[in-house]
Amino acid sequence: MEERGAAAARQAFGFGAVCLAFLAGAALGAVVTPPLGNAALWVADLLLGAGMVLFLIELQPPEPTAHGPGQNRAARVASGASRRP
C-alpha cells in the first residue's frame, strides 16, 4: 500500500511542478514583454532550448547488461533459455 502512496506522491509532485512552471512562465512573460516587445520570445526560446537539452541528456539509453532483459535473444533461443516454465 505504501508503494502506491509513494507513486501517487511522485505523480502529484510532477503535476505540481508542471503547473508551477506554467505559472512562472506566464509571470516571466508578463514582466519581460513590455520592455522587450517581440524580442521577449527569445527568453522563452532560451528556456525551452535548455529544457530540451536536459531532456535529451536524460533520454540517453542505459548501458546494456550481459544478463538483463536486453541480452542477445538469439543466444537465449539457441540455449533454450527463452522457454518459460
Side-chain angles (χ1 to χ4, degrees):
M1 193 72 170
E2 289 179 22
E3 187 176 312
R4 275 184 64 181
R10 279 192 303 275
Q11 189 175 12
F13 179 76
F15 181 70
V18 168
C19 291
L20 286 176
F22 274 103
L23 178 65
L28 183 64
V31 170
V32 173
T33 300
L36 296 180
N38 287 339
L41 184 59
W42 286 104
V43 175
D45 288 343
L46 291 174
L47 292 174
L48 285 172
M52 185 178 74
V53 167
L54 291 173
F55 173 75
L56 291 175
I57 289 171
E58 183 72 24
L59 196 62
Q60 295 293 325
E63 294 292 323
T65 60
H67 302 292
Q71 82 184 53
N72 187 349
R73 184 173 190 280
R76 286 184 308 188
V77 170
S79 70
S82 65
R83 294 187 205 135
R84 294 199 171 114

